[in-house]
Amino acid sequence: MIGILAVQGGVREHELVLDELGVQHRQVRRVEHLNGLSGIILPGGESTTMSKLLELGGLLRPLIDALTSGLPAYGTCAGMILLASEVLDTRPDARCLGALDITVRRNAFGRQVDSFEADLDFHGIDSPVPAVFIRAPWVERVGDGVEVLATVPSGPASGAVVAVRSGRVLATSFHPECTGDARVHEMFLAMVSEAGYVHEV
């Protein structure tokens, strides 16, 4: 059972990918929704709003505890920001989950009008992955034990880190759920299967 954090953001797109892959899933809005999960997806959206809603709804600390205890997680765009240990260019009251030892810069690629697409070489996937960047972050610092999986190949942001993994946690600054290519989700599901973890509340 895969949870999709559903306090705000692009939940439906991830649901459609998991439906296509034949994977059971449920939306996570309350603490009890964490029970029985084998993994969780943190979707794109507005990261400061998401962190505030997690805190107001009493889900922030239980989610941190679940990740600390070994719940596999995959974050896209705002989900990457939430999973980070440090966030630049955010509001002072924004909270993060600290599941990845990375520093991310929020809205690093610019505003909505600066959104773009690129084909990325992605470590562990045998051919380029189409990537959609929408007000996306990038990773400015990678801690020990964090593997860089993809960087921007060309243009003004050439070399920017946009996909990372550490242990059971995967994050991309782009939106593979918007491209019709499910291979990044399949990578996450393989991580979930390998972990063999079921969370108990």
Side-chain angles (χ1 to χ4, degrees):
M1 176 66 70
I2 302 297
I4 303 173
L5 186 65
V7 295
Q8 192 266 345
V11 176
R12 183 60 181 152
E13 292 83 355
H14 288 284
E15 289 179 325
L16 292 172
V17 175
L18 295 180
D19 285 343
E20 177 189 331
L21 296 173
V23 176
Q24 284 189 303
H25 56 84
R26 68 162 172 258
Q27 294 186 6
V28 174
R29 289 194 175 92
R30 298 192 298 273
V31 174
E32 56 265 34
H33 296 158
L34 295 171
N35 195 49
L37 293 185
S38 296
I40 189 167
I41 292 173
L42 285 64
E46 213 294 313
S47 59
T48 53
T49 300
M50 292 166 80
S51 73
K52 195 67 176 175
L53 291 172
L54 284 172
E55 195 165 24
L56 288 172
L59 189 53
L60 182 68
R61 174 48 58 183
L63 184 52
I64 291 172
D65 291 344
L67 295 169
T68 301
S69 69
L71 179 67
Y74 172 37
T76 63
C77 197
M80 170 187 265
I81 295 170
L82 284 175
L83 289 169
S85 56
E86 183 183 17
V87 182
L88 306 177
D89 291 340
T90 194
R91 287 181 2 194
D93 60 343
R95 302 290 299 275
C96 51
L97 302 170
L100 280 169
D101 184 13
I102 58 174
T103 299
V104 299
R105 185 172 297 278
R106 187 170 167 268
N107 295 340
F109 290 99
R111 298 175 298 165
Q112 191 88 10
V113 295
D114 299 311
S115 301
F116 69 100
E117 298 182 21
D119 291 329
L120 305 179
D121 291 330
F122 198 107
H123 184 69
I125 297 178
D126 57 7
S127 60
V129 170
V132 176
F133 294 86
I134 305 169
R135 296 181 62 199
W138 65 41
V139 179
E140 294 206 353
R141 181 193 62 85
V142 175
D144 292 341
V146 178
E147 179 185 8
V148 173
L149 299 179
T151 60
V152 176
S154 60
S158 177
V161 174
V162 293
V164 293
R165 175 185 177 179
S166 179
R168 298 178 179 182
V169 183
L170 173 69
T172 59
S173 63
F174 56 92
H175 295 271
E177 72 278 11
C178 296
T179 65
D181 187 322
R183 289 177 295 168
V184 180
H185 286 76
E186 289 173 338
M187 172 181 282
F188 173 60
L189 294 172
M191 291 166 55
V192 169
S193 179
E194 181 181 341
Y197 178 92
V198 178
H199 188 67
E200 296 182 6
V201 173

